[in-house]
Amino acid sequence: GQQLNQSPQSMFIQEGEDVSMNCTSSSIFNTWLWYKQDPGEGPVLLIALYKAGELTSNGRLTAQFGITRKDSFLNISASIPSDVGIYFCAGQLRGSQGNLIFGKGTKLSVKP
Amino acid sequence: DAGVIQSPRHEVTEMGQEVTLRCKPISGHDYLFWYRQTMMRGLELLIYFNNNVPIDDSGMPEDRFSAKMPNASFSTLKIQPSEPRDSAVYFCASTWAGDGYTFGSGTRLTVV
């Protein structure tokens, strides 16, 4: 089936550092979404991207929809301890209605 | 809105027993999704509904799994008989017009 390759799988960083993670695919997507999951909870939507090249910010988070429509990245600036969690990218394939494909996640650990 | 509501939050059952997971989507949302999350396989789509009609159930592992959506405000995922390999966190999510899912808090199922 369709796959999203998300990297890195995990990150251990110091508080205050910037973080970058990305997702790539061989398929073309018409929507990219980034979610964060805290322990014991469901994923929560952080940022949604709808146009190739779109760059969107949400506080310290910035995400971009790749020009080729096959990739996306998420940056977190000046990380804080509450950024800890698992971050997922998700994409909706062109021509698909409703169904999202999820990456395997990036587990972020922040050392105070 | 209270968000997507799932019950129970935790379920421990013996192998061979029937398990029923419940979901109440956000009012007005026309898509409902059932996902399973494990460490090994990440988030896997099991089935999704549009306007209460099952659209794609190709992710349902086998005949032991069944899902229903009798009305716009309720869905169930049933496993009968349950097996230890069914142990996972099961998420329900809903959305309007396939745009940016909202997830429930999940049901952690343990089959012993």
Side-chain angles (χ1 to χ4, degrees):
Chain A
Q2 305 293 343
Q3 278 193 323
L4 288 182
N5 301 309
Q6 186 171 351
S7 64
Q9 203 170 23
S10 61
M11 302 181 75
F12 296 85
I13 63 168
Q14 198 76 33
E15 182 178 359
E17 288 183 359
D18 296 343
V19 172
S20 186
M21 57 192 80
N22 69 83
C23 274
T24 61
S25 175
S26 57
S27 301
I28 293 175
F29 290 85
N30 62 6
T31 301
W32 281 96
L33 306 170
W34 285 92
Y35 284 83
K36 182 193 178 202
Q37 186 176 22
D38 291 324
E41 297 297 329
V44 174
L45 182 65
L46 298 173
I47 291 180
L49 302 158
Y50 302 104
K51 295 182 190 175
E54 181 180 353
L55 184 72
T56 297
S57 293
N58 178 5
R60 293 179 296 106
L61 277 59
T62 302
Q64 183 158 31
F65 192 148
I67 290 289
T68 64
R69 308 185 76 95
K70 296 181 179 181
D71 62 318
S72 177
F73 72 74
L74 174 71
N75 288 342
I76 305 173
S77 62
S79 59
I80 59 178
S82 62
D83 291 334
V84 164
I86 303 177
Y87 292 79
F88 291 97
C89 63
Q92 185 175 76
L93 288 169
R94 189 174 57 180
S96 158
Q97 182 67 28
N99 186 10
L100 287 182
I101 298 169
F102 282 82
K104 291 275 194 265
T106 295
K107 185 174 181 180
L108 179 63
S109 301
V110 179
K111 206 185 315 184
Chain B
D1 199 316
V4 176
I5 300 173
Q6 290 187 245
S7 64
R9 285 299 306 269
H10 302 273
E11 176 82 36
V12 180
T13 190
E14 290 186 346
M15 183 173 65
Q17 296 297 306
E18 177 180 297
V19 174
T20 300
L21 311 182
R22 296 172 175 81
C23 176
K24 182 180 187 310
I26 291 175
S27 176
H29 281 188
D30 58 348
Y31 282 85
L32 183 142
F33 303 82
W34 282 101
Y35 278 85
R36 178 171 68 177
Q37 187 177 38
T38 60
M39 289 291 291
M40 290 295 292
R41 301 171 71 94
L43 276 163
E44 299 176 278
L45 177 66
L46 300 177
I47 185 172
Y48 77 96
F49 297 82
N50 179 218
N51 292 321
N52 313 339
V53 175
I55 302 299
D56 184 353
D57 65 354
S58 59
M60 296 285 260
E62 46 199 276
D63 291 347
R64 298 184 297 106
F65 285 69
S66 62
K68 293 182 180 178
M69 192 165 185
N71 56 63
S73 59
F74 184 65
S75 177
T76 59
L77 177 68
K78 187 178 293 187
I79 308 172
Q80 165 64 17
S82 57
E83 296 182 3
R85 61 192 168 119
D86 301 330
S87 298
V89 182
Y90 291 81
F91 287 104
C92 175
S94 71
T95 185
W96 181 79
D99 184 22
Y101 300 3
T102 300
F103 281 81
S105 295
T107 295
R108 181 174 293 276
L109 174 65
T110 303
V111 183
V112 298

